[in-house]
């Protein structure tokens, strides 16, 4: 199981890019953290989620 | 009589204690975007005696900025960098101020932010926010970045929070209220979020890394 934003999901083996494609996140408005480190945007396709991973997708909203 | 630099420093030490003031005074903090967040962050940090502020914005002061940003009516049409530097000098005359009147891009980010200890993301556009946070954390992993997301509207003040996302990345705001949803920006709530950011910067400088 992979924990994403607090939710346990059965998606080990998928890449971060594959996970994001199935969601409504706007890829231009997010940062992705995996096990305490930021995942570089260029590595979303090659970063495969493993059992026990903890991931957080931070999605920015406008205003400042 | 106008206070000397030494008198100014002593007065700050009296309020913050000498150890803490030395940490603030020796620090360089970059503020990216000088709108409702950035201009208020800058005022808080200048008052606290942060030694050097790097101010980055390409835009000019507009009449629609004045309800929440630290500018004056007579400064409409001026570059925000120059107008804010002027206002900060009146508030805190011995703060060293570096201005970059440019648009921050993926290409110039590292050059412009290299000599800063902590970086504040204070843009209004969500894509620009995400781009800066990703660029700093990818290319300058030793830097701290304090970002903001969600401070629009007249919702409760108590929903604005500071959260530690990674060891180097802090996020302030309610993370929900988006100007895209037609919400306006209200000075008090934007200032709350700016204060969260400024406060986290001072805590990091004091080696207090929890929120």
């Amino acid at each position: 199981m992979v924990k994403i934003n607090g939710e346990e999901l059965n998606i080990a083996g998928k890449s971060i890019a594959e996970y994001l494609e199935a969601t409504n996140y706007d890829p231009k408005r997010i940062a992705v953290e995996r096990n305490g480190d930021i995942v570089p945007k260029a590595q979303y396709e090659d970063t495969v989620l493993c059992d026990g991973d903890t991931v957080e997708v931070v999605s920015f909203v406008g205003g400042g | 009589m106008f206070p000397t630099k030494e008198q100014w420093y002593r007065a700050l030490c009296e309020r913050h204690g000498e150890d803490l003031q030395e940490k603030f005074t020796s620090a360089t903090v970059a503020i990216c975007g000088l709108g409702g967040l950035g201009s208020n962050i800058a005022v808080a940090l200048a008052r606290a005696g942060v030694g050097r502020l790097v101010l980055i914005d390409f835009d000019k002061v507009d009449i629609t900025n004045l309800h929440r940003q630290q500018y004056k009516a007579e400064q409409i049409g001026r570059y925000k960098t120059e107008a804010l530097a002027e206002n900060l000098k009146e508030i805190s005359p011995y703060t060293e101020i570096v201005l970059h009147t440019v648009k921050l891009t993926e290409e110039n980010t590292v050059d412009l932010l290299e000599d800063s200890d902590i970086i504040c993301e204070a843009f209004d556009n969500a894509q620009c926010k995400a781009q800066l946070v990703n660029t700093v954390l990818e290319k300058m992993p030793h830097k701290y970045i304090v970002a903001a997301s969600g401070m629009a509207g007249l919702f409760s003040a108590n929903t604005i929070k500071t959260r530690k996302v990674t060891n180097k990345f802090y996020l302030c705001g309610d993370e929900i209220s988006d100007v895209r949803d037609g919400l306006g920006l209200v000075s008090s709530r934007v200032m709350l979020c700016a204060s969260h950011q400024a406060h986290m910067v001072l805590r990091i400088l004091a080696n207090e890394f929890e929120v």
Side-chain angles (χ1 to χ4, degrees):
Chain A
M1 296 297 264
V2 180
K3 199 176 193 174
I4 301 192
N5 289 16
E7 196 184 347
E8 297 275 359
L9 297 174
N10 192 11
I11 55 163
K14 283 194 174 183
S15 72
I16 286 179
E18 285 170 322
Y19 164 73
L20 290 173
E21 271 166 34
T23 68
N24 289 325
Y25 288 115
D26 176 348
K28 288 187 172 159
R29 289 163 66 120
I30 60 170
V32 179
E33 170 262 326
R34 174 174 169 253
N35 301 333
D37 291 314
I38 215 74
V39 181
K41 289 221 156 212
Q43 289 173 25
Y44 286 180
E45 297 217 354
D46 297 332
T47 304
V48 175
L49 297 165
C50 304
D51 258 330
D53 276 358
T54 301
V55 174
E56 194 189 336
V57 182
V58 175
S59 183
F60 287 89
V61 298
Chain B
M1 203 185 72
F2 199 79
T4 64
K5 192 172 183 179
E6 177 60 20
Q7 286 172 322
W8 201 272
Y9 184 72
R10 284 289 127 217
L12 286 167
C13 288
E14 219 173 277
R15 289 302 178 210
H16 297 145
E18 203 155 334
D19 286 352
L20 197 52
Q21 194 54 49
E22 174 50 35
K23 292 185 174 102
F24 293 171
T25 303
S26 59
T28 298
V29 178
I31 303 174
C32 305
L34 303 176
L37 295 170
S39 65
N40 283 298
I41 294 168
V43 168
L45 296 182
R47 286 198 190 278
V50 168
R52 193 158 170 270
L53 295 176
V54 178
L55 307 179
I56 306 171
D57 200 305
F58 64 90
D59 211 358
K60 290 176 177 170
V61 179
D62 184 82
I63 191 170
T64 59
N65 301 149
L66 295 184
H67 73 112
R68 72 184 193 284
Q69 306 184 14
Q70 293 289 348
Y71 302 101
K72 304 172 195 173
E74 64 182 20
Q75 292 176 321
I76 290 170
R78 306 258 319 271
Y79 281 114
K80 288 185 176 181
T81 43
E82 290 167 15
L84 187 59
E86 215 171 80
N87 299 344
L88 295 175
K89 280 290 173 195
E90 288 176 18
I91 291 168
S92 176
Y94 301 110
T95 302
E96 192 189 332
I97 297 170
V98 179
L99 303 181
H100 296 296
T101 309
V102 295
K103 197 172 167 73
L104 207 52
T105 64
E106 274 179 79
E107 289 69 39
N108 65 13
T109 295
V110 172
D111 278 349
L112 295 178
L113 301 180
E114 208 157 36
D115 59 350
S116 296
D117 304 305
I118 304 177
I119 294 149
C120 294
E121 177 284 308
F123 294 140
D124 56 357
N125 178 285
Q127 288 188 16
C128 295
K129 287 172 178 290
Q131 189 192 79
L132 178 63
V133 167
N134 279 299
T135 304
V136 168
L137 292 169
E138 283 176 28
K139 295 188 179 169
M140 315 170 89
H142 52 291
K143 301 281 188 199
Y144 290 94
I145 183 158
V146 182
S149 178
M151 77 300 298
L154 196 58
F155 303 109
S156 169
N158 294 336
T159 55
I160 303 276
K161 290 189 163 50
T162 302
R163 190 162 71 86
K164 188 175 178 180
V165 182
T166 74
N167 282 336
K168 301 287 181 180
F169 172 25
Y170 295 84
L171 186 62
C172 305
D174 67 16
E175 299 186 47
I176 299 168
S177 53
D178 191 338
V179 288
R180 192 167 59 169
D181 301 329
L183 297 169
L185 290 159
V186 180
S187 63
S188 44
R189 201 156 186 269
V190 177
M191 287 168 83
L192 273 165
C193 191
S195 289
H196 267 262
Q197 289 182 274
H199 194 65
M200 197 62 234
V201 167
L202 295 178
R203 283 180 59 76
I204 293 167
L205 293 177
N207 298 320
E208 300 282 352
F209 299 106
E210 295 312 314
V211 299

